[in-house]
Structures are given as structure tokens and as C-alpha cells.
Amino acid sequence: MIPITEFKGRDVAVFGLARTGLAAARALTAGGARVHAWDDNDVSRAAAEAAGVPVSDINARDWRSFAALVLSPGVPLTFPEPHRVVTLAEAVGVPIIGDIELFARAVNALPATQRPKLIGITGTNGKSTTSALIAHILSEAGKDTRLGGNIGAAILEQPPLHAGAYYVIELSSYQLDLTSSLRLDVAVYLNTTPDHLDRHGDMTNYVAAKKRIFLNQGAADWAVIGVDDPHCARICTELTRNAAQHVAPISAGQALGRGVSALGGKIIDGLSGRSEIVADLTQAPALAGKHNAQNAAAAYAATRALGVDHRIIAQAFNSFAGLPHRLERAGTIEGVRFVNDSKATNANAAAQALAVFPRVYWVAGGVAKEGGIEDLAEFYPRMAKAYLIGQSAGDFADVLRNKVPVVMAGNLEAAVKLAFNDAKASGEPHPVVLLSPACASFDQFKSYEDRGDQFKTFVAALNEAPKANGAKAGAKK
């Protein structure tokens, strides 16, 4: 844990008692603050109390007594309208911050020689893989590395701050909206496609939140930014023109005169202005696909900026195991391969998975994001059949009508069984059943992780079924 001493002896409200809220409450308490934690959910409050977090109804308190409101990133700050606790805090001038801001202030309070290195990663897609890959490279290089933020443990649950440590922090737009003091030694902004517009109002606000990752950077710091979409390309041009920090453009679609490119399965380092092939991604099984090529280019640029030798980076690419629920191999049964890409919660993320395989039996559906699956038209020829589940099934079926054969599976278990039977009967040499839902999970599952875990459970059950049937046949004899 990282104790937060800034509010020692003062009252602090913490609202939202999921992973980051609980960590913030514990870190503030360890630093001597009087914490008043609350959540609208009865179950969350009970869990917090069981974990020793002091719970009190902040709605009934005089808000002028609070030194700050620490807000969970999942709580609406601005759109579609501010949560009532935001309105209460703003009415009396109470600062509204998040757990990343608490962390940033704790780092800034240290003497410069005692501060750890901070690497932050954001983007619509790929930030979890890129964060984990950067952490893996740094660990392989012998660095004292901690991975947290929007991935894994909350940032304030990490071991205490000290010089020589490297904190790799995945940052969502929600977290960045609540952060103003964070200065990153390396800030990575991968890409931008429409997402979370219900929380940001429009693309302008969404991009502005993401762009906050570069706040406070100075001449010694590095901005690593993808240039394969127009939003990030414009920001890269702006950063280069302003020359406040070093800028490393990265691309998986074009050769860059000065930057890092991922083309034809090769990582090409042109940061010095002289291009050199430094890694072969065809030897890295967990980094298949164009989207992972961009992730690898970003991770290469970020770790090179931190002084890691390019040979260590290349070796680390090959040993990287990948992330659960992102093009995760879920098994092969009777020649049918199953791939768990449950983390693909929007069409753009699903497109990245669909681009990897020439033909798939596609399991999709859930709570659709804005735009649905209209942007996946170029991949329709790759879909042998679509097995639709969840809330969006009807709308997706309408979009796919007369373009892709559709099965209204209803739920994931049925979809897995139906896709397996069709793939097995197809006669194709290596058929692939791909769960890449292009949707959020909350209509039928607790989270995308729960969805992916259930997919793997249903796949494993297919493997057990023949054994069970064989046992029954043996018993009859």
C-alpha cells in the first residue's frame, strides 16, 4: 500500500467502493486522514465494512467539513449529468479528485532523487495489452516493476514508492478526467475511436480527457503516440510543434521517417532517423494481428525511451504470454480452435480480432456501443456464421441479414455448442470459433472477465462430453 499523508488529520469523503475506492480509503486511512466512505449500493457498503473501511453516510454530513471528495472513476462526473455527490462537492468548493491524483501528489511530494519512474498508457483499444507488455519488458530487463491502475491491482495498493521502481499505469479516460498533477516519464496514447460517449458527451470531450495524459510533461519526458487515426495524428503534430517533450510517433500502417513502425511482422526503429529492423513479431505468438503490432511498437518506443536495450525488448516480445480474454487460446477440440476475445467490448476491438483469422464462427452480442457493428462490414466475408447472444442480438441480426448466416443463440452456452457443431461439420482444416462480442457484457454477465471465463468453462465442457458419453456406453456393456 502507498499511504497518502496529504490529508492527515482532515476529513475526506470517498464515494464509490469498488476496487479503486476501497484502495483509496485504505491509503488515506493509513496516512492519518479521517475517511468517510460511501456507496449507493448496499452490498458494496457491507463489503467495505467487512474489509475494515469506515463507512458513513456522506449525504447527511456538512460538506464544508471535507478537504476533498475522492470519486470512483465509474461515477459520472459531467455526463449524462453529474452525480449528486459531485453537485454537493461543487456547491461548497470541495476539490474532486481520483485515486490516480492521490498517487500523483504522493510522488510529487518526494524529493526528485527519490521518485520512481512513471509510465502511463491510454487509448481506446490496446491499453491493457500494451501496459502488460511494457511491464513484462521492464521485468525482463531486471527492473523493479509494478503494474496497476485500470489493470490488475489499484495503483494505491502497489508497494510503497521509492527510487528505482517503475510504475506502469493503465489509464482510462475516466481516471484522466479526475487527474491534474500526474507527470509521466513516458506517456503512451495508442489510438482513438468512438467509445464512452455517454460519459463524455462527444468525441471532443473524450479526446480531451485522453490527451490529459501529456499534462505536466517536460523536456526530459517522452510522449509515445499512435498516428494511425486522425485524432491521434493531429495531437502528434501539435506535440511535435510545441516541443515541450520528446515525441515518438508509432504506426502499424505506415513507415515513419522518425519513429517506430510495425510492418510485415517486423518492428522498425527509426527514432534516431536511421531505420533498423529490431524485432520479428512472427516469433511472438501472443502478439498476432495488426492491433498487437501497434501495441508492440508502442511498448518498444516506451521502453527504449527508458534505456532498455533493443535486444532485450525483442526477446521479451517472444516470451510475452498475452492477456486473458484478449485473443486468448481457449483450447482445441476435435480440430476446432476456440479463441476467447471477450475484452473486445466495441466494434473496433472486434475488428482487430476478426482481422487475424481468415474465417471464423463468430460469437457476438451483449450491450451494444454507439455505432453497433456497422463498421465491421469488411469482415463479413470472413464470417462463416454469426451466433448472436444478449440484448443486441436482434439489432445485429438486422444488420447482418443477407450478408452473413445468423443463428439466434440467445446465450453463450448455446452459442458455443452450436458454433462447435457447425465448425466441426464444416470440413475446414482448422476452423476457429471466436468469441469477440463487440459489446459490453452487463446484460448477461458481471464483467467481460466473467463472460470470458464462462466461455472457457463451456469450451472445457465440450471436451468432457465425449469422455462422459464413452463412460456411459462402457457401463451399458
Side-chain angles (χ1 to χ4, degrees):
M1 180 190 298
I2 300 172
I4 301 300
T5 60
E6 178 183 351
F7 298 101
K8 182 177 182 179
R10 301 162 76 189
D11 295 283
V12 178
V14 176
F15 184 80
L17 297 178
R19 182 175 60 98
T20 60
L22 289 174
R26 285 192 283 261
L28 286 160
T29 300
R34 293 188 295 270
V35 171
H36 306 266
W38 190 253
D39 193 295
D40 288 338
N41 184 285
D42 294 343
V43 174
S44 296
R45 293 199 304 272
E49 286 186 308
V53 172
V55 173
S56 63
D57 188 355
I58 59 176
N59 299 285
R61 294 189 65 86
D62 181 355
W63 275 73
R64 290 171 295 185
S65 67
F66 290 135
L69 165 64
V70 179
L71 191 69
S72 169
V75 178
L77 179 66
T78 308
F79 294 98
E81 62 181 25
H83 192 278
R84 70 172 187 284
V85 296
V86 172
T87 302
L88 288 168
E90 289 178 336
V92 292
V94 172
I96 302 170
I97 57 178
D99 67 316
I100 302 295
E101 176 66 13
L102 290 174
F103 170 81
R105 293 182 184 186
V107 172
N108 294 341
L110 295 172
T113 56
Q114 296 180 24
R115 294 175 191 168
K117 294 289 187 183
L118 307 184
I119 305 95
I121 301 92
T122 199
T124 304
N125 296 302
K127 54 186 178 290
S128 293
T129 296
T130 303
S131 298
L133 181 56
I134 289 172
H136 175 68
I137 294 168
L138 291 172
S139 294
E140 291 295 291
K143 308 297 185 184
D144 179 5
T145 306
R146 295 91 187 272
L147 174 65
N150 199 46
I151 184 174
I155 195 63
L156 295 176
E157 292 283 14
Q158 302 295 326
L161 301 167
H162 69 82
Y166 289 72
Y167 287 80
V168 182
I169 313 165
E170 181 185 328
L171 294 164
S172 71
S173 56
Y174 301 169
Q175 290 170 312
L176 288 166
D177 249 352
L178 293 164
T179 305
S180 59
S181 301
L182 183 66
R183 177 179 177 175
L184 295 165
D185 295 277
V186 180
V188 180
Y189 187 172
L190 293 164
N191 48 55
T192 310
T193 55
D195 201 10
H196 302 309
L197 299 189
D198 57 330
R199 275 290 303 271
H200 295 288
D202 56 30
M203 280 297 291
T204 298
N205 292 332
Y206 177 52
V207 172
K210 291 288 193 185
K211 187 180 170 184
R212 291 174 66 85
I213 196 168
F214 302 118
L215 280 178
N216 309 311
Q217 283 198 302
D221 304 320
W222 281 83
V224 176
I225 185 163
V227 294
D228 291 337
D229 68 84
H231 299 286
C232 284
R234 281 195 297 270
I235 294 170
C236 184
T237 299
E238 178 186 331
L239 293 174
T240 303
R241 183 176 60 245
N242 292 342
Q245 71 274 80
H246 302 290
V247 179
I250 58 107
S251 174
Q254 57 184 303
L256 300 176
R258 189 177 292 272
V260 178
S261 307
L263 300 171
K266 303 292 192 294
I267 296 292
I268 304 164
D269 183 349
L271 290 170
S272 67
R274 183 176 62 85
S275 296
E276 177 185 8
I277 295 175
V278 291
D280 182 359
L281 294 181
T282 64
Q283 303 302 308
L287 295 174
K290 186 176 179 180
H291 65 295
N292 275 326
Q294 186 193 50
N295 298 338
Y300 179 89
T303 50
R304 282 295 291 137
L306 293 165
V308 180
D309 186 274
H310 69 87
R311 289 164 294 190
I312 293 175
I313 300 173
Q315 292 167 3
F317 285 159
N318 297 346
S319 61
F320 180 58
L323 286 179
H325 315 298
R326 196 68 180 105
L327 287 179
E328 179 187 13
R329 300 170 189 177
T332 300
I333 303 172
E334 298 182 49
V336 179
R337 286 187 291 162
F338 292 85
V339 178
N340 168 26
D341 196 51
S342 181
K343 199 174 189 301
T345 58
N346 57 48
N348 185 265
Q352 295 165 356
L354 289 165
V356 173
F357 306 103
R359 189 165 174 81
V360 299
Y361 294 79
W362 183 42
V363 180
V367 181
K369 298 290 182 69
E370 185 170 337
I373 56 171
E374 299 285 351
D375 291 342
L376 297 180
E378 66 178 291
F379 300 104
Y380 294 165
R382 298 179 181 229
M383 299 174 187
K385 195 174 286 188
Y387 304 81
L388 303 180
I389 65 174
Q391 180 179 304
S392 67
D395 290 339
F396 282 14
D398 290 341
V399 173
L400 296 173
R401 185 174 291 116
N402 300 322
K403 304 179 185 75
V404 176
V406 167
V407 177
M408 300 295 283
N411 62 63
L412 185 56
E413 183 176 15
V416 168
K417 291 178 179 178
L418 292 165
F420 173 58
N421 290 334
D422 289 342
K424 187 169 57 170
S426 70
E428 296 168 11
H430 302 289
V432 173
V433 174
L434 171 67
L435 170 67
S436 192
C439 286
S441 60
F442 300 116
D443 54 342
Q444 295 182 321
F445 308 93
K446 297 176 183 176
S447 62
Y448 77 80
E449 293 98 336
D450 178 42
R451 178 170 61 192
D453 288 339
Q454 289 198 37
F455 177 76
K456 289 186 285 187
T457 297
F458 297 142
V459 170
L462 293 175
N463 204 26
E464 293 299 319
K467 299 176 185 176
N469 292 336
K472 290 177 183 177
K476 289 178 182 177
K477 292 179 182 179

